Amino acid sequence: MAIAYPHFIGSDMPIVVEPPLMASAAPPVILTQDELKKIAAYKAVEFVESGMVLGLGTGSTAKHAVSRIGELLQQGKLHNIVGIPTSKITHEQALSVGIPLSDLDAHPVLDLAIDGADEVDPFMNLVKGRGGSLLREKMVEGACKKFVVIVDESKLVKHLGGSGLAMPVEIVPFCWKFTAKRLELMFEEAGCVGKLRRFVGNGEPFVTDNGNYIVDLYFKRDIGDLRAASDAILRLAGVVEHGMFLDMATTLIVAGELGVTVKNKEVLGGRRVKIAETSLEFINAVAQVQLKLCLSLRATAKPSPLLWLIPLESYLLLFDL
């Protein structure tokens, strides 16, 4: 069974590192990809509090979060929740489980959004939109104070586009071939191939909730500077939005065979940093800090237990994060 790791968060309070949880001697349980998605989604719903305005994501992972929120409302464990759906499909699901809905016109600032992702790089940049809802997802999730991303470990990549799967771009239907070709040429050095998304059955173009088409870009190599790539795509006439969600996620929840990992992005001293929260990663980090401190003090004995109580800022400065 998957083990949830301890939760470390904060910048001013001391950190007390506890020994890692040990797995039982029982035979390991092999979880399916959907079960891992459900674990991540349920963990994300722990961030939801009564009275919140929530962005409700779209896709095979986000649907578990929507269902769970509905269950908690029915059980009376959550109250006064308002949901802002990111697609027509999510709108229908949310109504079916009893979540009251509204829109961005009535609630221009949201407390929290929960959604999945198709790819996540080491800096918590995302590729989203393979389900076709990237425009509404970006509008809703860009208006949130906190954006929790839920994935299984198969979605982790070294760089965006690294999975070899699609990076979607929503475009207007007018002269779509012209727009698709210009997108290909824009990333020619990355070996880009652009394909119009079509329905499998009849071959007709896939149409988004907004009446637009989607061109899926496939890259053979790293596209490099993501900010520059984003700006270049958005400057192209005919493009509505792309599926790169850069520096938007504030929390990442990853479910894997060995447990659940929670990572947060916080702003510290004007710098945005990523804080890893798995127990093993943190213990390794603490050990390295202890070693640096001992060397600086020319200590020869075993480090004092007091070194385990160090504010998080000290760790970040020592590692130059």
Side-chain angles (χ1 to χ4, degrees):
M1 192 63 183
I3 300 172
Y5 293 118
H7 185 70
F8 298 93
I9 188 168
S11 58
D12 298 319
M13 298 297 292
I15 295 173
V16 179
V17 180
E18 300 177 359
L21 297 175
M22 302 302 293
S24 66
V29 177
I30 305 301
L31 300 175
T32 66
Q33 187 178 32
D34 190 62
E35 287 171 333
L36 292 174
K37 291 177 179 180
K38 191 172 184 178
I39 290 170
Y42 275 46
K43 180 65 177 177
V45 175
E46 293 179 10
F47 288 88
V48 177
E49 298 176 3
S50 295
M52 280 187 167
V53 179
L54 303 175
L56 305 177
T58 297
S60 58
T61 307
K63 70 178 184 181
H64 292 303
V66 175
S67 295
R68 180 60 175 163
I69 293 167
E71 289 177 7
L72 294 176
L73 282 170
Q74 293 172 13
Q75 295 169 4
K77 296 179 180 179
L78 286 177
H79 308 276
N80 302 321
I81 294 294
V82 176
I84 313 294
T86 55
S87 66
K88 293 179 179 178
I89 290 176
T90 301
H91 185 279
E92 294 173 1
Q93 182 195 4
L95 288 178
S96 71
V97 298
I99 301 176
L101 299 181
S102 187
D103 57 31
L104 291 175
D105 292 332
H107 299 277
V109 179
L110 284 65
D111 297 297
L112 172 71
I114 299 174
D115 205 354
D118 302 307
E119 290 183 358
V120 183
D121 76 4
F123 303 98
M124 288 169 60
N125 295 311
L126 319 172
V127 168
K128 289 177 51 56
R130 289 179 188 156
S133 303
L134 61 150
L135 175 59
R136 297 191 185 191
E137 288 174 338
K138 190 169 286 190
M139 289 177 68
V140 171
E141 289 149 12
C144 294
K145 297 176 184 177
K146 189 176 184 67
F147 177 24
V148 179
V149 177
I150 47 178
V151 296
D152 66 88
E153 58 191 355
S154 71
K155 301 300 193 299
L156 304 180
V157 295
K158 293 182 179 179
H159 58 83
L160 296 192
S163 68
L165 301 177
M167 197 280 281
V169 180
E170 187 163 344
I171 66 171
V172 298
F174 175 73
C175 294
W176 67 264
K177 291 181 182 179
F178 170 78
T179 306
K181 188 62 178 177
R182 294 188 71 184
L183 286 168
E184 275 191 351
L185 293 174
M186 186 180 293
F187 299 102
E188 189 173 13
E189 293 185 0
C192 178
V193 175
K195 297 181 180 180
L196 182 71
R197 187 177 299 186
R198 298 180 181 274
F199 289 106
V200 176
N202 55 21
E204 291 294 315
F206 174 89
V207 179
T208 70
D209 288 346
N210 316 297
N212 297 316
Y213 289 173
I214 287 181
V215 171
D216 288 319
L217 302 182
Y218 299 86
F219 303 103
K220 295 180 180 178
R221 292 175 289 279
D222 191 344
I223 63 176
D225 188 329
L226 298 178
R227 289 287 180 189
S230 170
D231 292 343
I233 293 172
L234 293 176
R235 284 197 300 268
L236 188 61
V239 167
V240 179
E241 188 54 86
H242 60 69
M244 289 186 289
F245 286 51
L246 306 181
D247 202 28
M248 290 179 62
T250 58
T251 298
L252 173 66
I253 298 176
V254 184
E257 292 293 342
L258 298 180
V260 175
T261 302
V262 181
K263 296 181 180 180
N264 284 281
K265 265 190 176 180
E266 302 290 348
V267 176
L268 180 64
R271 295 176 298 164
R272 185 169 290 277
V273 298
K274 185 176 71 175
I275 305 169
E277 293 180 345
T278 65
S279 59
L280 293 178
E281 283 184 34
F282 221 93
I283 287 172
N284 288 336
V286 170
Q288 292 182 50
V289 172
Q290 285 185 320
L291 179 59
K292 288 186 179 183
L293 290 174
C294 289
L295 289 175
S296 66
L297 296 173
R298 297 183 179 180
T300 57
K302 184 178 179 181
S304 167
L306 292 177
L307 293 179
W308 292 91
L309 298 174
I310 304 173
L312 182 56
E313 278 188 320
S314 300
Y315 288 95
L316 298 173
L317 292 173
L318 281 166
F319 285 114
D320 193 27
L321 293 174

